[in-house]
């Protein structure tokens, strides 16, 4: 900016033209925002107002082209922008995450899809989230997060002046305390699993608390038998199939489309830094894994050409990745066989957290073992943590104010 120019920023990001004390004319054009959210404003100068006006108009045209701004007779709707945004972010999201984004947007944003993007107000977002929260508060929270990200991108590209999601009322999700399996139930499950060829799968679930995708994506190279360690680096995901036939309203399911895309199975790196972790393996579980590897090697030799080698620890009988629904069905059959409540497989992970906390393991250590990135998750285990806190208070009491009987 030239010295001696009285800089006046136009309201709402509009362009401004003014004459400076140096006798020249100066123009300022808002070009949107950086990825960090900072405003970008370009400066042009000239000897006459007409010259600067033409330069400002050229910058505004450049801004419209780069932001894909619609022409004056064609207003961009929220639905059109969300469809475009999904295309933009598809390459930066994992398949399962992208499928979740697509499902939430297309299942819940219908009432606002035809509304002009530039006219979406905070009240519109509030009403939408309120309707969704009536069915599922967690879906409303996830939808708000998605819309906030989509509209932030619209702001950075000059399509919106401000993001209405920034001031929307986000529904609260009550954190419920979990009642997982008891120690007696766990022993009954492991006893029933001892007769199965895949017993190590369920020992891993209860002793290490791996997520289902992490366990099914585990490879033999991830287990160090000499150091008694197991590394969690990847997870098995099953993305949804999508239509590839191009029909506007197909009468068949995406999985049965002759030109389907996506789907199948993929081994993805775990999403967060907290998820990438190395665990110490209990000695008896390590022995089970050794036996499981020997059994798998014998089965592989017997299968011959029918075996598909992927180096997976818990594959299908032919070596291919195990389908999560088949894995979950086997868990349900095991709980029925053990005579314990038929809780979902994910509750084995909650059981691991409960057992660790009940043994007095520090909460931060439990977070690291389970791959949590938020300490707030510990609030779901207050029924376990509170007795430990009381025990800690008793220890402090005895340390500072020992009774007469204490040494």
């Amino acid at each position: 900016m030239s010295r001696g120019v009285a800089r006046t920023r136009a309201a709402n990001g509009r362009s401004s033209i003014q004459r400076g004390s140096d006798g020249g004319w100066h123009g300022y054009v808002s070009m949107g925002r950086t990825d960090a959210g900072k405003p970008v404003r370009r400066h042009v100068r000239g000897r006459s107002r007409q010259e600067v006006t033409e330069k400002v108009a050229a910058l505004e045209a450049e801004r419209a082209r780069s932001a894909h701004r619609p022409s004056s007779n064609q207003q961009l709707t929220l639905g059109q922008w969300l469809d475009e945004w999904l295309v933009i972010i598809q390459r930066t999201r994992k398949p399962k995450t992208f499928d979740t984004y697509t499902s939430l947007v297309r299942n819940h944003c219908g009432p606002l899809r035809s509304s002009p993007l530039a006219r979406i107000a905070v009240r519109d977002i509030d009403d939408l989230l309120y309707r969704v929260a009536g069915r599922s508060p967690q879906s409303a929270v996830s939808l708000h997060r998605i819309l906030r990200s989509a509209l932030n991108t619209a702001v950075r590209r000059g399509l919106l002046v401000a993001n209405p999601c920034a001031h929307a009322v986000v529904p609260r999700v009550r954190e419920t305390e979990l009642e997982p399996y008891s120690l007696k139930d766990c022993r009954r499950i492991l006893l029933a699993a001892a007769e199965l060829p895949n017993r190590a799968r369920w020992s891993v679930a209860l002793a290490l608390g791996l997520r289902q995708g992490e366990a099914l994506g585990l490879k033999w190279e991830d287990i160090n038998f000499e150091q008694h360690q197991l590394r969690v680096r990847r997870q098995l995901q099953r993305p949804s199939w999508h239509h590839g036939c191009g029909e506007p309203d197909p009468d068949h399911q995406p999985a049965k489309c002759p030109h389907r895309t996506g789907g199948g199975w993929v081994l993805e790196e775990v999403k967060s830094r907290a998820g990438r972790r190395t665990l110490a393996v209990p000695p008896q579980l390590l022995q089970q894994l050794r036996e499981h590897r020997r059994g798998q090697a014998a089965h592989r030799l017997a299968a011959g050409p029918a075996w598909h080698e992927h180096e997976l620890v818990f594959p299908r009988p032919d070596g291919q990745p195990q389908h999560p629904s088949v894995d979950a069905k086997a868990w349900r059959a095991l709980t029925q066989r053990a005579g314990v409540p038929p809780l979902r497989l994910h509750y084995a992970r909650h059981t691991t957290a409960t057992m660790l906390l009940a043994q007095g393991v520090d909460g931060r250590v439990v977070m690291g073992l389970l791959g949590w990135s938020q300490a707030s998750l510990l609030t779901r285990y207050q029924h376990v943590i509170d007795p430990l806190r009381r025990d800690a208070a008793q220890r402090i009491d005895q340390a500072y104010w020992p009774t007469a009987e204490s040494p």
Side-chain angles (χ1 to χ4, degrees):
M1 184 175 67
S2 300
R3 298 181 63 182
V5 177
R7 172 82 175 268
T8 303
R9 185 180 296 275
N12 296 328
R14 291 194 297 267
S15 305
S16 63
I17 299 175
Q18 57 202 24
R19 191 167 192 172
S21 58
D22 59 354
W25 287 87
H26 300 265
Y28 300 92
V29 183
S30 176
M31 300 298 288
R33 295 177 180 272
T34 66
D35 290 340
K38 295 182 179 180
V40 176
R41 199 160 171 83
R42 295 273 293 276
H43 169 231
V44 294
R45 68 183 72 188
R47 295 181 178 181
S48 66
R49 184 183 184 92
Q50 180 62 30
E51 181 184 353
V52 172
T53 299
E54 292 174 356
K55 291 182 178 180
V56 166
L59 282 176
E60 289 176 337
E62 176 185 338
R63 178 183 63 190
R65 287 193 301 271
S66 64
H68 303 287
R69 183 184 295 280
S71 60
S72 57
N73 61 353
Q74 181 188 6
Q75 279 193 311
L76 186 68
T77 65
L78 175 65
Q80 291 170 335
W81 168 245
L82 289 176
D83 291 342
E84 182 178 341
W85 177 77
L86 286 171
V87 173
I88 293 170
I89 59 97
Q90 183 171 9
R91 284 188 253 175
T92 63
R93 300 297 190 277
K94 294 186 181 298
K96 203 68 176 177
T97 301
F98 179 76
D99 287 344
T100 300
Y101 283 15
T102 303
S103 177
L104 285 169
V105 166
R106 293 181 179 169
N107 289 339
H108 299 300
C109 292
L112 290 180
R113 284 189 64 86
S114 60
S115 302
L117 175 64
R119 296 182 184 177
I120 297 294
V122 177
R123 178 64 181 271
D124 297 323
I125 301 296
D126 282 343
D127 291 345
L128 176 65
L129 296 179
Y130 179 78
R131 286 193 294 270
V132 176
R135 299 190 293 272
S136 171
Q138 185 58 59
S139 293
V141 172
S142 299
L143 181 62
H144 173 263
R145 189 181 302 115
I146 292 169
L147 289 175
R148 183 179 59 192
S149 178
L151 298 186
N152 274 339
T153 303
V155 171
R156 290 195 295 269
R157 297 194 173 200
L159 300 174
L160 276 178
V161 174
N163 188 343
C165 289
H167 303 289
V169 178
V170 185
R172 292 189 60 184
V173 178
R174 288 187 59 185
E175 291 289 348
T176 57
E177 292 186 8
L178 298 169
E179 291 294 341
Y181 286 113
S182 66
L183 179 59
K184 181 179 179 181
D185 288 337
C186 291
R187 288 173 175 168
R188 294 178 69 175
I189 292 173
L190 295 176
L191 184 62
E195 304 172 11
L196 302 176
N198 214 26
R199 63 180 296 198
R201 165 70 184 97
W202 314 120
S203 296
V204 165
L206 288 169
L208 301 182
L210 267 62
R211 299 174 178 88
Q212 185 186 37
E214 294 171 345
L216 297 183
L218 196 66
K219 291 190 174 187
W220 288 113
E221 66 186 38
D222 300 322
I223 302 176
N224 188 321
F225 287 93
E226 288 70 31
Q227 297 184 12
H228 294 203
Q229 291 181 343
L230 181 149
R231 297 190 310 162
V232 180
R233 293 294 181 270
R234 67 184 71 83
Q235 55 188 338
L236 179 71
Q237 290 195 344
R238 293 272 176 172
S240 301
W241 290 106
H242 299 283
H243 284 288
C245 52
E247 298 180 20
D249 189 18
D251 58 357
H252 53 274
Q253 296 295 326
K256 297 181 179 180
C257 179
H259 305 289
R260 64 186 184 180
T261 60
W265 59 268
V266 292
L267 285 171
E268 292 279 355
E269 294 293 319
V270 293
K271 291 193 297 185
S272 65
R273 181 182 301 177
R276 295 187 294 273
R277 58 200 189 276
T278 299
L279 307 176
V281 183
Q284 292 193 49
L285 174 54
L286 200 68
Q287 181 59 31
Q288 288 186 29
L289 288 169
R290 286 194 179 98
E291 295 172 1
H292 182 72
R293 185 171 60 170
R294 288 195 293 268
Q296 187 182 103
H299 183 76
R300 181 171 62 248
L301 287 174
W307 179 266
H308 300 269
E309 186 58 72
H310 293 285
E311 294 291 334
L312 294 172
V313 178
F314 302 116
R316 288 184 344 197
D318 63 355
Q320 293 277 26
Q322 181 62 276
H323 197 289
S325 63
V326 175
D327 186 61
K329 184 177 179 180
W331 169 260
R332 289 194 297 271
L334 175 61
T335 58
Q336 183 177 8
R337 182 174 184 169
V340 299
L343 300 181
R344 292 185 298 113
L345 175 56
H346 195 67
Y347 271 72
R349 179 171 165 81
H350 297 316
T351 299
T352 305
T354 301
M355 293 300 170
L356 289 170
L357 291 168
Q359 297 300 317
V361 179
D362 182 78
R364 289 285 175 180
V365 176
V366 174
M367 286 180 59
L369 294 175
L370 294 181
W372 291 343
S373 58
Q374 297 178 351
S376 59
L377 291 172
L378 285 171
T379 60
R380 308 180 74 183
Y381 301 89
Q382 290 301 323
H383 59 291
V384 181
I385 296 175
D386 285 344
L388 297 177
R389 287 172 174 165
R390 288 193 292 271
D391 179 66
Q394 290 292 332
R395 291 171 183 269
I396 288 292
D397 184 79
Q398 289 298 315
Y400 286 168
W401 302 283
T403 60
E405 292 79 11
S406 300

